Amino acid sequence: MTNNTNDKTLIKEVSINAPLNLVWYAWTISERVSEWFAPETVIEAKEGGTYELFFIPGDRTGMNTMGCKITKFIPEQKLNFTWKGPDQFKNLMNNEDTLTTVEVSFKSVSENSTKVIVKHIGFKDNENWIEAFNWHQMAWSGVLESLKSTLEKGEGNLCCKPLNNNVS
């Protein structure tokens, strides 16, 4: 995927009181990802591997990142994967030629502290994409809060639950 100068970039970061290896595993082992991000996941932790999240248990047709792949995999440093937006944006950003990319960087701050930076690229800078960009700004904040809460206290909330099951 090429970046145009017209593309918008979303950047979120969080510091987590947990060792780097545990934070890395939280992103790269299916069972760990399902504790804080999406209830069902299929992750093949290697470049070219699958990075699929299913936000509604048992539903493989909606609210998922089916078909998304890991594009960069540097253990305990970098994890990049293609991304599909939620169903309300599927016609805008979920076709093969409009997929965005999530770049996650990991940095050990100390023995028990890790900084995670999520850089989501590929949003077009036009009015059709404004709502999708804003939605992802909110969603990534919630995702990183859940990751932090899960790793520090074991109390993560899964992201992007259907509205009728929404937890505030």
Side-chain angles (χ1 to χ4, degrees), residues 34-88:
S34 64
E35 292 174 356
W36 62 273
F37 202 160
E40 293 179 18
T41 64
V42 179
I43 296 171
E44 298 171 327
K46 63 181 182 180
E47 205 158 298
T50 301
Y51 206 90
E52 297 178 338
L53 309 175
F54 299 92
F55 295 99
I56 303 171
D59 183 354
R60 297 286 169 141
T61 61
M63 290 301 289
N64 67 66
T65 65
M66 186 179 283
C68 288
K69 299 284 185 194
I70 295 173
T71 58
K72 184 175 267 187
F73 188 88
I74 304 171
E76 297 186 0
Q77 293 178 34
K78 196 132 199 65
L79 173 68
N80 296 1
F81 47 90
T82 54
W83 184 259
K84 290 183 177 178
D87 290 353
Q88 67 262 39

Side-chain angles (χ1 to χ4, degrees), residues 19 25 37 43 45 66-67 81 83 87 93 104 123 125 131 137:
Y25 294 145
F37 202 160
I43 296 171
M66 186 179 283
F81 47 90
W83 184 259
D87 290 353
M93 62 185 300
V104 187
F123 292 94
D125 193 12
E131 187 180 350
Q137 284 266 44

Side-chain angles (χ1 to χ4, degrees), residues 26-156:
W27 284 87
T28 58
I29 296 174
S30 289
E31 295 77 24
R32 300 282 187 250
V33 178
S34 64
E35 292 174 356
W36 62 273
F37 202 160
E40 293 179 18
T41 64
V42 179
I43 296 171
E44 298 171 327
K46 63 181 182 180
E47 205 158 298
T50 301
Y51 206 90
E52 297 178 338
L53 309 175
F54 299 92
F55 295 99
I56 303 171
D59 183 354
R60 297 286 169 141
T61 61
M63 290 301 289
N64 67 66
T65 65
M66 186 179 283
C68 288
K69 299 284 185 194
I70 295 173
T71 58
K72 184 175 267 187
F73 188 88
I74 304 171
E76 297 186 0
Q77 293 178 34
K78 196 132 199 65
L79 173 68
N80 296 1
F81 47 90
T82 54
W83 184 259
K84 290 183 177 178
D87 290 353
Q88 67 262 39
F89 306 119
K90 69 180 177 186
N91 293 331
L92 182 68
M93 62 185 300
N94 291 1
N95 300 313
E96 195 60 38
D97 60 342
T98 59
L99 295 181
T100 55
T101 300
V102 177
E103 300 177 349
V104 187
S105 300
F106 304 82
K107 183 173 172 43
S108 180
V109 177
S110 69
E111 187 178 320
N112 288 305
S113 181
T114 305
K115 184 179 198 176
V116 176
I117 301 169
V118 171
K119 185 176 174 184
H120 193 159
I121 63 172
F123 292 94
K124 306 303 175 216
D125 193 12
N126 66 52
E127 67 181 59
N128 294 338
W129 284 77
I130 291 171
E131 187 180 350
F133 183 83
N134 291 340
W135 187 92
H136 281 86
Q137 284 266 44
M138 174 271 310
W140 281 116
S141 292
V143 165
L144 292 179
E145 286 173 25
S146 180
L147 172 66
K148 181 177 177 72
S149 183
T150 297
L151 289 173
E152 291 182 354
K153 302 179 225 161
E155 300 173 355

